[in-house]
């Protein structure tokens, strides 16, 4: 079983994806880490984040081990990721990694949950279940501020909101694989839902798809 979860930053899709993977014993891939890994490596090499050729070379060399880098969690990594993610060549170079994970999940799992921006539309268009997880931008910015402060980092709401708006615009307006809900996705708006309520809604939907499939 393949579950594709897409949506904007801080909508709660990562938490939901992890819980669904646990619940249905599926492998889990946070595909944002692939783009973050490329962005971080590019920044570390001292090159400009608009250097397409190097970005593509880095994307084609990404391994599972690169995805554990703690630096990938930073806001700088998120912003660098959304810049390299707008390059069609970088996206193309990361397709195989994602599809291989979905078709041959590690650990002998019977399927996989992938979360990102274009999983249901481009990477796994035949996924058994497609969820689009979203929330109002003010709610998402508040969540991100809380998360950053819990990690001991300084976070100013207005700045986080501003950067989130910019990242949303870059992700939704890019020409290749823009962030849009797949036509056949089930939308969960988590603005007024806690983690448990979102999980209950998702499990109910996944179970109904399993029964009908
Ligand atoms: O999900 P996360 O916040 O880690 O993603 C970081 C950035 O990577 C996103 O803003 C987006 O630009 C890009 N991304 C993408 N496609 C994916 C996953 C992430 O374009 N499947």
């Amino acid at each position: 079983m393949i579950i594709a979860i897409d949506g904007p930053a801080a909508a709660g899709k990562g938490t939901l994806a992890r819980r669904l993977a646990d619940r249905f014993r599926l492998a889990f891939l946070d595909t944002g880490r692939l783009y973050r890994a490329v962005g971080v490596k590019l920044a570390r090499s001292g090159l400009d984040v608009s250097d397409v050729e190097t970005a593509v070379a880095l994307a084609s060399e990404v391994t599972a081990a690169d995805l554990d880098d703690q630096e990938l969690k930073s806001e700088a990594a998120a912003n660098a990721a959304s810049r390299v993610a707008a390059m069609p060549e970088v996206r193309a170079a990361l397709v195989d990694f994602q599809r291989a994970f979905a078709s041959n999940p590690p650990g002998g799992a019977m399927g996989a949950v992938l979360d990102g921006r274009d999983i249901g539309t481009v990477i796994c268009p035949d996924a058994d279940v497609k969820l689009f997880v979203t929330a109002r931008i003010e709610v998402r910015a508040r969540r991100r501020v809380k998360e950053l402060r819990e990690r001991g980092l300084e976070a100013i709401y207005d700045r986080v909101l501003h950067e989130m708006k910019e990242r949303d615009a870059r992700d939704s307006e890019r020409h290749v694989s823009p962030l849009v809900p797949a036509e056949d996705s089930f939308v969960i708006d988590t603005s007024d839902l806690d983690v448990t309520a979102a999980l209950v809604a998702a499990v109910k939907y996944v179970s109904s798809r399993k029964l009908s499939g």
Side-chain angles (χ1 to χ4, degrees):
M1 176 162 71
I2 306 292
I3 302 182
I5 307 187
D6 292 304
K13 62 185 188 312
T15 308
L16 189 60
R18 253 183 215 99
R19 303 248 174 140
L20 282 177
D22 280 353
R23 170 84 190 228
F24 294 102
R25 296 173 194 272
L26 304 170
F28 166 58
L29 179 65
D30 170 359
T31 67
R33 290 199 186 191
L34 295 167
Y35 296 91
R36 287 173 183 249
V38 176
V40 164
K41 284 190 176 202
L42 199 57
R44 264 189 205 144
S45 66
L47 293 165
D48 194 84
V49 276
S50 58
D51 185 334
V52 178
E53 212 173 301
T54 313
V56 174
L58 293 170
S60 33
E61 286 168 7
V62 163
T63 64
D66 292 326
L67 310 184
D68 292 330
D69 188 337
Q70 286 304 306
E71 209 180 313
L72 301 193
K73 289 186 177 171
S74 72
E75 289 303 278
N79 289 326
S82 87
R83 288 176 194 278
V84 295
M87 300 171 184
E89 301 88 340
V90 167
R91 305 199 71 84
L94 293 173
V95 168
D96 286 351
F97 186 106
Q98 298 171 80
R99 289 197 180 142
F101 188 97
S103 59
N104 195 7
M110 298 296 287
V113 180
L114 282 81
D115 94 51
R117 302 291 186 288
D118 62 342
I119 308 303
T121 49
V122 175
I123 302 297
C124 301
D126 298 327
D128 304 283
V129 176
K130 297 181 187 179
L131 301 176
F132 191 83
V133 181
T134 188
R136 289 188 299 275
I137 190 153
E138 293 77 11
V139 175
R140 293 190 283 121
R142 265 201 308 276
R143 284 183 191 154
R144 183 49 53 86
V145 167
K146 185 166 173 272
E147 190 188 311
L148 290 169
R149 288 185 183 154
E150 279 168 3
R151 275 197 260 142
L153 300 168
E154 200 180 311
I156 299 161
Y157 174 80
D158 284 345
R159 191 156 147 211
V160 170
L161 179 66
H162 176 74
E163 284 188 359
M164 198 168 268
K165 278 184 182 160
E166 280 187 347
R167 187 142 74 98
D168 275 4
R170 262 201 307 272
D171 289 351
S172 311
E173 290 162 18
R174 69 183 173 217
H175 295 297
V176 57
S177 299
L179 170 67
V180 283
E183 269 179 27
D184 49 350
S185 61
F186 178 67
V187 179
I188 300 180
D189 186 325
T190 66
S191 303
D192 303 308
L193 298 182
D194 62 14
V195 173
T196 307
L199 181 67
V200 167
V203 168
K204 201 168 152 196
Y205 180 68
V206 174
S207 302
S208 73
R209 297 286 302 169
K210 273 176 81 174
L211 288 175
S212 69

